[in-house]
Amino acid sequence: MATSSFLWGAGSAAYQVEGAWNRDGKGPSVLDTLSQRSAVSLRNPAEWPSWDSGSSSYDHLERDLDGLSALAVSHYRFSLAWARLLPNGTAPANLAGLRYYARLLSGLRQRGIEPVVTLYHWDLPQTLQDLYGGWENPVLVEFFLDYAQLCFQHFGRHVRYWLTIDNPYLVAWHGYATGRLARGLRGGRKLGYKVAHNLLKAHAKVWHLYNDNFRPAQKGQVSIALSSHWIKPQNMTEKNIKSCQKSLDFVLGWFAKPIFTDGDYPQSMKRYLSLTLPEFTDAEKNLIRGTADFFALSFGATLSFTRVDPDMLFQQQQTLNLRQLLYWISREYNPSQIFIVENGWYVSGSTKTDDCLTHREISYVFVVYSSAIRYDGVTVMGYTVWSLMDGFEWFRGYVRRGLFYVDFQSQDKKMIMKSSGLFYQKVIQDNESHQNRWKWCSESQASLC
């Protein structure tokens, strides 16, 4: 594993890789339900397994751990499946689920790999959706709090970094407003804002739960994974600058401003949505403000359908402006540290092991970080490639996006490291010191395919 203070890692989500969706006591999630009833368009059906097998990580835990060891990463970001631990969303707990994650954490500890654990990565237990309407119901805040307490109690002594919710923007907007993601409800923007309101309160209560009851002994940190695009005006007019600010407010600022500044929504949202945006009480603002120990940022393909105003004049660049986004976040929200908890792209036209495009993109990102740290004063504590292995990509079906190729037709779902994995392995191994890391990344640009 890497030994420098900078965290180099890879990530995955439970639903994408675990499989075994209805085994050993696990309950169904809204993602299971949506996948069952959706006709996912697969590029080559003969090559892919059914939606419910993922990458079979539940049955091949040692395979995953060996892959992480081969990469020599310092951390692995993964999520816990709420319905595997609490099949109906509430007590009693499922012992098989507790044992599975205990084995995963033990395996990481034996290999010296730091776990970065996400409590909620979109897989809400279906029972909570059926009985309460999911995140549109404020009662979910308390259910999530109980679930988090279970996780902190059972796993907290082995975890230093927790993420409460992955990408609440996508959960609220595309899960409940547009219906493009699970839960798949086209409820309109008012419902999306209501869901976001509950997600923010749920996150804040979990942060306080950890801070008050678990941090003194476990000494970990808690944040929430926020995703963003980056845009800049075509012309530096006041109108265009305000429009770009508004676009960022409506995606990243929707959640970042309440947490990192004053506990309330951006003024642009409050002005534009005066009749539909919920309001926080003063007590709720105090509850939410300051509930992140670092800024957890996702950047890349997960936000490829960002909502923006149709009349806005800007240039939207998803992959070429990470440095500007890091600088903007540091100035807008003044976080102590930024942790890149997800970064990756969809790659087309790759062979089994050669994904040269990912080579170039990963290298570009490293140079961006180098520039940001050297010249912009941005403190980046870690970087996470998405994803560790090929798996089930939500509404896209199976997409080969991993550092490891998964042979879905083999009985043991064998993993083979791709060229991007070999490249990433080399970056980690050759850059143990801060100075050499950025020097090597910059010099590597000329030799990449």
Side-chain angles (χ1 to χ4, degrees), residues 11-34:
S12 71
Y15 179 75
Q16 294 179 307
V17 301
E18 282 183 4
W21 75 278
N22 60 352
R23 287 173 36 205
D24 293 345
K26 181 184 177 296
S29 74
V30 293
L31 289 169
D32 297 320
T33 302
L34 184 65

mmCIF file of all heavy atoms in Angstrom, residues 11-34:
data_model
loop_
_atom_site.group_PDB
_atom_site.id
_atom_site.type_symbol
_atom_site.label_atom_id
_atom_site.label_comp_id
_atom_site.label_asym_id
_atom_site.label_seq_id
_atom_site.Cartn_x
_atom_site.Cartn_y
_atom_site.Cartn_z
ATOM 1 N N GLY A 11 -12.716 3.170 -5.882
ATOM 2 C CA GLY A 11 -14.021 3.094 -5.241
ATOM 3 C C GLY A 11 -14.995 2.181 -5.957
ATOM 4 O O GLY A 11 -14.792 1.768 -7.103
ATOM 5 N N SER A 12 -16.083 1.885 -5.249
ATOM 6 C CA SER A 12 -17.192 1.107 -5.799
ATOM 7 C C SER A 12 -18.425 1.404 -4.966
ATOM 8 O O SER A 12 -18.354 2.029 -3.908
ATOM 9 C CB SER A 12 -16.879 -0.393 -5.784
ATOM 10 O OG SER A 12 -16.891 -0.885 -4.442
ATOM 11 N N ALA A 13 -19.562 0.936 -5.435
ATOM 12 C CA ALA A 13 -20.813 1.036 -4.680
ATOM 13 C C ALA A 13 -21.409 -0.356 -4.547
ATOM 14 O O ALA A 13 -21.276 -1.189 -5.452
ATOM 15 C CB ALA A 13 -21.799 1.969 -5.390
ATOM 16 N N ALA A 14 -22.066 -0.604 -3.428
ATOM 17 C CA ALA A 14 -22.567 -1.948 -3.128
ATOM 18 C C ALA A 14 -23.434 -2.496 -4.246
ATOM 19 O O ALA A 14 -23.248 -3.643 -4.697
ATOM 20 C CB ALA A 14 -23.345 -1.918 -1.813
ATOM 21 N N TYR A 15 -24.381 -1.700 -4.726
ATOM 22 C CA TYR A 15 -25.311 -2.207 -5.729
ATOM 23 C C TYR A 15 -24.608 -2.552 -7.033
ATOM 24 O O TYR A 15 -25.007 -3.483 -7.736
ATOM 25 C CB TYR A 15 -26.399 -1.171 -5.991
ATOM 26 C CG TYR A 15 -27.388 -1.614 -7.044
ATOM 27 C CD1 TYR A 15 -28.346 -2.575 -6.742
ATOM 28 C CD2 TYR A 15 -27.361 -1.088 -8.329
ATOM 29 C CE1 TYR A 15 -29.253 -3.003 -7.706
ATOM 30 C CE2 TYR A 15 -28.257 -1.496 -9.292
ATOM 31 C CZ TYR A 15 -29.201 -2.457 -8.979
ATOM 32 O OH TYR A 15 -30.089 -2.877 -9.935
ATOM 33 N N GLN A 16 -23.549 -1.844 -7.365
ATOM 34 C CA GLN A 16 -22.852 -2.061 -8.624
ATOM 35 C C GLN A 16 -22.036 -3.347 -8.635
ATOM 36 O O GLN A 16 -21.842 -3.947 -9.692
ATOM 37 C CB GLN A 16 -21.930 -0.881 -8.916
ATOM 38 C CG GLN A 16 -22.653 0.424 -9.178
ATOM 39 C CD GLN A 16 -21.690 1.552 -9.437
ATOM 40 O OE1 GLN A 16 -20.779 1.797 -8.650
ATOM 41 N NE2 GLN A 16 -21.872 2.253 -10.546
ATOM 42 N N VAL A 17 -21.546 -3.762 -7.477
ATOM 43 C CA VAL A 17 -20.566 -4.845 -7.484
ATOM 44 C C VAL A 17 -20.942 -6.065 -6.643
ATOM 45 O O VAL A 17 -20.432 -7.160 -6.902
ATOM 46 C CB VAL A 17 -19.184 -4.335 -7.020
ATOM 47 C CG1 VAL A 17 -18.692 -3.220 -7.934
ATOM 48 C CG2 VAL A 17 -19.198 -3.879 -5.566
ATOM 49 N N GLU A 18 -21.810 -5.926 -5.648
ATOM 50 C CA GLU A 18 -22.001 -7.038 -4.722
ATOM 51 C C GLU A 18 -22.759 -8.208 -5.316
ATOM 52 O O GLU A 18 -22.389 -9.371 -5.116
ATOM 53 C CB GLU A 18 -22.746 -6.549 -3.468
ATOM 54 C CG GLU A 18 -21.866 -5.803 -2.508
ATOM 55 C CD GLU A 18 -22.601 -5.404 -1.242
ATOM 56 O OE1 GLU A 18 -23.784 -5.784 -1.079
ATOM 57 O OE2 GLU A 18 -21.997 -4.702 -0.416
ATOM 58 N N GLY A 19 -23.863 -7.958 -6.034
ATOM 59 C CA GLY A 19 -24.729 -9.047 -6.430
ATOM 60 C C GLY A 19 -25.445 -9.607 -5.209
ATOM 61 O O GLY A 19 -25.598 -8.932 -4.196
ATOM 62 N N ALA A 20 -25.870 -10.894 -5.297
ATOM 63 C CA ALA A 20 -26.529 -11.566 -4.158
ATOM 64 C C ALA A 20 -27.615 -10.683 -3.557
ATOM 65 O O ALA A 20 -27.724 -10.557 -2.339
ATOM 66 C CB ALA A 20 -25.495 -11.956 -3.106
ATOM 67 N N TRP A 21 -28.451 -10.094 -4.390
ATOM 68 C CA TRP A 21 -29.394 -9.078 -3.937
ATOM 69 C C TRP A 21 -30.490 -9.626 -3.018
ATOM 70 O O TRP A 21 -31.047 -8.894 -2.209
ATOM 71 C CB TRP A 21 -30.044 -8.401 -5.147
ATOM 72 C CG TRP A 21 -31.082 -9.245 -5.827
ATOM 73 C CD1 TRP A 21 -30.868 -10.230 -6.733
ATOM 74 C CD2 TRP A 21 -32.499 -9.172 -5.637
ATOM 75 N NE1 TRP A 21 -32.053 -10.795 -7.132
ATOM 76 C CE2 TRP A 21 -33.079 -10.147 -6.475
ATOM 77 C CE3 TRP A 21 -33.334 -8.375 -4.847
ATOM 78 C CZ2 TRP A 21 -34.454 -10.362 -6.539
ATOM 79 C CZ3 TRP A 21 -34.703 -8.590 -4.924
ATOM 80 C CH2 TRP A 21 -35.252 -9.570 -5.757
ATOM 81 N N ASN A 22 -30.767 -10.945 -3.108
ATOM 82 C CA ASN A 22 -31.835 -11.522 -2.285
ATOM 83 C C ASN A 22 -31.369 -12.749 -1.519
ATOM 84 O O ASN A 22 -32.172 -13.608 -1.176
ATOM 85 C CB ASN A 22 -33.031 -11.884 -3.159
ATOM 86 C CG ASN A 22 -32.678 -12.898 -4.241
ATOM 87 O OD1 ASN A 22 -31.510 -13.230 -4.434
ATOM 88 N ND2 ASN A 22 -33.681 -13.383 -4.957
ATOM 89 N N ARG A 23 -30.083 -12.795 -1.205
ATOM 90 C CA ARG A 23 -29.544 -13.946 -0.494
ATOM 91 C C ARG A 23 -29.133 -13.596 0.925
ATOM 92 O O ARG A 23 -28.861 -12.448 1.243
ATOM 93 C CB ARG A 23 -28.335 -14.514 -1.254
ATOM 94 C CG ARG A 23 -28.720 -15.261 -2.527
ATOM 95 C CD ARG A 23 -27.515 -15.659 -3.341
ATOM 96 N NE ARG A 23 -26.379 -16.038 -2.506
ATOM 97 C CZ ARG A 23 -25.124 -15.947 -2.922
ATOM 98 N NH1 ARG A 23 -24.849 -15.457 -4.113
ATOM 99 N NH2 ARG A 23 -24.137 -16.322 -2.128
ATOM 100 N N ASP A 24 -29.090 -14.612 1.759
ATOM 101 C CA ASP A 24 -28.604 -14.490 3.139
ATOM 102 C C ASP A 24 -29.328 -13.393 3.905
ATOM 103 O O ASP A 24 -28.731 -12.660 4.697
ATOM 104 C CB ASP A 24 -27.094 -14.219 3.161
ATOM 105 C CG ASP A 24 -26.280 -15.405 2.641
ATOM 106 O OD1 ASP A 24 -26.848 -16.505 2.544
ATOM 107 O OD2 ASP A 24 -25.094 -15.214 2.334
ATOM 108 N N GLY A 25 -30.620 -13.287 3.659
ATOM 109 C CA GLY A 25 -31.434 -12.373 4.448
ATOM 110 C C GLY A 25 -31.522 -10.958 3.926
ATOM 111 O O GLY A 25 -32.232 -10.129 4.516
ATOM 112 N N LYS A 26 -30.821 -10.632 2.847
ATOM 113 C CA LYS A 26 -30.883 -9.263 2.335
ATOM 114 C C LYS A 26 -32.278 -8.962 1.796
ATOM 115 O O LYS A 26 -32.896 -9.770 1.117
ATOM 116 C CB LYS A 26 -29.852 -9.045 1.223
ATOM 117 C CG LYS A 26 -29.875 -7.609 0.684
ATOM 118 C CD LYS A 26 -28.924 -7.424 -0.483
ATOM 119 C CE LYS A 26 -29.022 -6.009 -1.045
ATOM 120 N NZ LYS A 26 -30.334 -5.707 -1.624
ATOM 121 N N GLY A 27 -32.758 -7.748 2.083
ATOM 122 C CA GLY A 27 -34.034 -7.302 1.563
ATOM 123 C C GLY A 27 -33.858 -6.570 0.245
ATOM 124 O O GLY A 27 -32.751 -6.170 -0.117
ATOM 125 N N PRO A 28 -34.942 -6.360 -0.501
ATOM 126 C CA PRO A 28 -34.852 -5.629 -1.770
ATOM 127 C C PRO A 28 -34.675 -4.135 -1.539
ATOM 128 O O PRO A 28 -35.139 -3.578 -0.549
ATOM 129 C CB PRO A 28 -36.192 -5.925 -2.440
ATOM 130 C CG PRO A 28 -37.130 -6.164 -1.296
ATOM 131 C CD PRO A 28 -36.314 -6.825 -0.216
ATOM 132 N N SER A 29 -34.005 -3.482 -2.476
ATOM 133 C CA SER A 29 -33.862 -2.032 -2.455
ATOM 134 C C SER A 29 -34.625 -1.437 -3.628
ATOM 135 O O SER A 29 -35.067 -2.152 -4.534
ATOM 136 C CB SER A 29 -32.387 -1.631 -2.542
ATOM 137 O OG SER A 29 -31.899 -1.833 -3.857
ATOM 138 N N VAL A 30 -34.747 -0.115 -3.629
ATOM 139 C CA VAL A 30 -35.432 0.538 -4.746
ATOM 140 C C VAL A 30 -34.660 0.341 -6.045
ATOM 141 O O VAL A 30 -35.257 0.339 -7.136
ATOM 142 C CB VAL A 30 -35.634 2.043 -4.466
ATOM 143 C CG1 VAL A 30 -36.599 2.251 -3.314
ATOM 144 C CG2 VAL A 30 -34.300 2.760 -4.215
ATOM 145 N N LEU A 31 -33.349 0.156 -5.954
ATOM 146 C CA LEU A 31 -32.568 -0.110 -7.158
ATOM 147 C C LEU A 31 -32.869 -1.488 -7.712
ATOM 148 O O LEU A 31 -32.948 -1.675 -8.937
ATOM 149 C CB LEU A 31 -31.077 0.015 -6.850
ATOM 150 C CG LEU A 31 -30.564 1.429 -6.595
ATOM 151 C CD1 LEU A 31 -29.151 1.396 -6.033
ATOM 152 C CD2 LEU A 31 -30.593 2.251 -7.875
ATOM 153 N N ASP A 32 -33.030 -2.475 -6.838
ATOM 154 C CA ASP A 32 -33.425 -3.807 -7.289
ATOM 155 C C ASP A 32 -34.768 -3.753 -8.015
ATOM 156 O O ASP A 32 -34.932 -4.321 -9.091
ATOM 157 C CB ASP A 32 -33.530 -4.765 -6.096
ATOM 158 C CG ASP A 32 -32.206 -4.965 -5.381
ATOM 159 O OD1 ASP A 32 -31.174 -5.073 -6.058
ATOM 160 O OD2 ASP A 32 -32.221 -5.019 -4.137
ATOM 161 N N THR A 33 -35.711 -3.053 -7.418
ATOM 162 C CA THR A 33 -37.053 -2.966 -7.990
ATOM 163 C C THR A 33 -37.039 -2.258 -9.334
ATOM 164 O O THR A 33 -37.670 -2.706 -10.304
ATOM 165 C CB THR A 33 -37.989 -2.229 -7.023
ATOM 166 O OG1 THR A 33 -38.013 -2.925 -5.773
ATOM 167 C CG2 THR A 33 -39.402 -2.154 -7.583
ATOM 168 N N LEU A 34 -36.309 -1.157 -9.416
ATOM 169 C CA LEU A 34 -36.261 -0.403 -10.659
ATOM 170 C C LEU A 34 -35.589 -1.211 -11.762
ATOM 171 O O LEU A 34 -36.051 -1.206 -12.914
ATOM 172 C CB LEU A 34 -35.506 0.905 -10.444
ATOM 173 C CG LEU A 34 -35.460 1.859 -11.646
ATOM 174 C CD1 LEU A 34 -36.861 2.350 -11.983
ATOM 175 C CD2 LEU A 34 -34.545 3.047 -11.357
#
